[in-house]
Amino acid sequence: MLWPTTVVGAAAGYAVADIPGALLGLVLGQALDRHLRLQTWGELKDRLKGKSVLRDQELLFVLLGRVAKAEGQVLAAHIQQARLEMRSLNLNEQARRRAIGAFNRGKAGGDQLRGHLLRLKHQPNSAEGVLRACWRMVWADGQAGTAERELVVTWGKWLGWSSARVQGLGQDYEPRHKPVAKRGGAYEEAMRLLGVSSTTEPDQIKRAYRRLLSRHHPDKLVGGGATPAQIREATDRTRELHNAYSLIRERRDLR
């Protein structure tokens, strides 16, 4: 593992005071690396430019933003999936604003992410959670593009996963049939799924949608012993609910 400030400190110490200086610089540099949690030259460069080092949930939403933009256009389904992830994490308002900023940062694509992901390599639960969230974003619009898949597989390799294992994880979220909003008679089916009618008030529609999302979101199953088939079914149901709500909003011009 590369500790950039450790290297700089050792080199500077050697230049000033030979071996004793190098040893002192190494110790001080490593202490600074650990304090700042720097592991790559890219992270050090970001620090020197005044950029923050990505952490935890912020990193997650940068990755999700990158996936959403991978095929060139961020769709409404991607935005909705990001909102679902925020909701599943029970983010407060401040954390939600940071997540939105991180998602937009991910869409811009300016971050070097390898160093950030290497920090998770020895945290298997966190690594799997990140990959699962990325696959949910990949399948948010009901299809997985080549660029999206390649991104997640690459990130998985940086996390120490084999390509086959990463792709196998993605199968948990692959839809088994087309989303409701793309089928004939979709509006009537959408109302049936949400348990509403053409005369239901907008606030009641929104409450019905959120209640059903909370009940069926796959995050409630992950880590609870659910089978891949159960997770896939919950993912399909969540996607159908989203498409149903989007169609009703569009048809009734709801805001």
Side-chain angles (χ1 to χ4, degrees):
M1 181 180 295
L2 177 64
W3 298 86
T5 311
T6 301
V7 175
V8 172
Y14 183 82
V16 173
D18 207 358
I19 299 298
L23 293 174
L24 178 60
L26 186 148
V27 171
L28 294 176
Q30 188 171 71
L32 185 58
D33 275 327
R34 291 184 180 278
H35 176 70
L36 297 177
R37 300 173 71 180
L38 299 176
Q39 297 185 6
T40 68
W41 290 107
E43 289 181 352
L44 177 60
K45 185 177 179 181
D46 285 345
R47 281 286 190 176
L48 294 175
K49 289 182 177 180
K51 296 181 180 179
S52 60
V53 176
L54 296 173
R55 292 289 174 257
D56 305 328
Q57 292 173 356
E58 186 182 15
L59 172 60
L60 170 63
F61 285 96
V62 168
L63 294 171
L64 295 180
R66 186 73 64 85
V67 172
K69 186 66 174 178
E71 298 296 328
Q73 183 178 6
V74 178
L75 305 176
H78 295 133
I79 301 297
Q80 180 61 24
Q81 184 60 39
R83 290 172 178 161
L84 290 174
E85 298 295 341
M86 293 178 202
R87 191 173 301 137
S88 71
L89 292 170
N90 295 316
L91 301 185
N92 60 32
E93 185 58 32
Q94 183 178 11
R96 186 174 177 276
R97 286 197 296 269
R98 288 198 299 268
I100 292 172
F103 185 78
N104 290 332
R105 181 171 168 177
K107 290 192 297 182
D111 290 287
Q112 298 296 320
L113 297 173
R114 183 168 187 166
H116 300 297
L117 286 168
L118 286 175
R119 290 190 287 103
L120 299 180
K121 189 172 182 179
H122 302 294
Q123 302 176 44
N125 290 337
S126 297
E128 181 174 344
V130 163
L131 292 173
R132 286 188 178 278
C134 287
W135 278 119
R136 288 194 290 269
M137 182 60 72
V138 167
W139 286 108
D141 61 346
Q143 55 188 351
T146 300
E148 294 171 317
R149 288 181 179 273
E150 289 178 348
L151 267 183
V152 182
V153 169
T154 297
W155 294 340
K157 289 179 179 178
W158 292 346
L159 290 168
W161 288 47
S162 68
S163 176
R165 188 182 175 197
V166 176
Q167 295 187 66
L169 193 67
Q171 292 175 3
D172 289 350
Y173 303 96
E174 185 173 350
R176 291 173 297 176
H177 47 74
K178 293 183 179 180
V180 167
K182 295 183 179 180
R183 298 200 297 262
Y187 182 58
E188 291 74 14
E189 179 67 7
M191 289 191 294
R192 186 191 67 77
L193 276 176
L194 296 189
V196 300
S197 70
S198 59
T199 59
T200 303
E201 293 295 323
D203 286 345
Q204 292 177 304
I205 295 174
K206 183 180 294 186
R207 283 196 296 271
Y209 168 60
R210 289 179 174 174
R211 182 176 63 254
L212 289 168
L213 275 183
S214 178
R215 182 185 306 166
H216 294 288
H217 199 282
D219 279 348
K220 292 183 174 293
L221 302 177
V222 174
T227 65
Q230 289 173 323
I231 294 174
R232 188 182 301 115
E233 182 178 353
T235 302
D236 288 346
R237 184 68 170 179
T238 298
R239 187 177 294 108
E240 286 192 341
L241 290 170
H242 162 61
N243 286 325
Y245 182 59
S246 296
L247 182 59
I248 292 173
R249 287 184 62 190
E250 179 181 353
R251 182 70 65 89
R252 293 186 55 176
D253 195 26
L254 303 181
R255 293 294 180 266

